[in-house]
Amino acid sequence: SADLNPALLPLDWLLGTWESDEPGEGCFTTIKPFHYTETLTFSHVGQPVINFTFNAFHAETKKPLHRECGFIRMQPGANRVAFIIAQNSGLVEIEEGELTAQQLNLQSQALARVSFAREPHVQKISRVIQLRPDGRLEQTVSMATDNQPLMQHLHITYRRQAS
Ligand code: HEM
């Protein structure tokens, strides 16, 4: 397989496949709290780009639910990271933010959706992805909608899968 593009060295800790170690927690004021499992993959083909997929499932029935895929790019010579994301709900987004050590702090910069997307519409997303000292990956996602301020929607931790 291709050598990792040196531009991506600061993000090498993401690469591989990650499985939720215990069910993630979903919440929002307007919905019933829920649990989910999720598999993440981060791969590359030698370009200065990481390809990713996030696939979430119902914790009990294992039915596929939310799915995201996209690309990660880094601004050359800077700590600025961009996620280019498509979601199965009909949402597309650009998130950008800073990489500090092994933590990414991302905010949505642009959001667009299909004309018939379900309401309420998301207006803002912020996300923290970090590698914890215990080797687990942790993701926290907050969102604001048409009628609710920015608050947490998701929290989950993952264990790296042997490749
Ligand atoms: C509900 C957005 C990721 C599961 C919602 C709602 C929105 C939303 C706007 C409706 C809230 C309301 O009615 O006030 C998003 C965004 C995500 C995301 C922007 C990613 C950035 C996920 C993931 C799961 C999930 C990974 C895992 C299974 C649910 C469930 C509900 C919900 C179960 C409640 C039932 C429903 O409305 O379908 N989400 N979501 N979401 N989300 Fe997410």
Side-chain angles (χ1 to χ4, degrees):
S1 62
D3 287 339
L4 183 63
N5 191 290
L8 293 178
L9 277 172
L11 289 173
D12 63 355
W13 51 276
L14 271 179
L15 293 168
T17 301
W18 299 85
E19 287 276 356
S20 46
D21 50 350
E22 50 189 64
E25 293 170 351
C27 57
F28 206 62
T29 41
T30 49
I31 65 175
K32 212 164 64 130
F34 63 92
H35 288 101
Y36 67 105
T37 62
E38 193 171 41
T39 304
L40 313 183
T41 68
F42 297 93
S43 63
H44 72 94
V45 291
Q47 296 176 326
V49 179
I50 291 176
N51 311 304
F52 73 85
T53 62
F54 293 3
N55 294 328
F57 304 85
H58 191 283
E60 284 87 40
T61 66
K62 321 276 188 227
K63 268 179 133 177
L65 291 172
H66 193 85
R67 296 169 89 83
E68 304 178 35
C69 61
F71 306 96
I72 306 171
R73 302 183 59 100
M74 281 198 78
Q75 184 180 355
N79 288 335
R80 191 145 193 94
V81 176
F83 277 51
I84 302 137
I85 308 174
Q87 303 194 8
N88 63 348
S89 56
L91 186 70
V92 295
E93 44 157 342
I94 307 289
E95 291 182 19
E96 288 192 21
E98 299 299 317
L99 172 68
T100 356
Q102 293 171 326
Q103 175 170 314
L104 284 163
N105 259 288
L106 303 163
Q107 261 91 42
S108 53
Q109 306 294 311
L111 290 173
R113 59 184 60 81
V114 299
S115 60
F116 48 91
R118 234 183 352 158
E119 294 187 330
H121 291 165
V122 183
Q123 297 300 344
K124 193 171 180 193
I125 298 172
S126 77
R127 168 166 358 217
V128 179
I129 297 174
Q130 63 180 327
L131 184 63
R132 302 196 321 195
D134 66 4
R136 289 178 200 194
L137 194 71
E138 179 174 20
Q139 175 166 216
T140 309
V141 176
S142 299
M143 67 179 175
T145 63
D146 295 329
N147 51 36
Q148 298 296 322
L150 191 69
M151 76 184 96
Q152 191 167 309
H153 181 37
L154 307 163
H155 178 259
I156 188 166
T157 56
Y158 314 86
R159 229 194 290 266
R160 189 193 285 285
Q161 296 307 106
S163 49

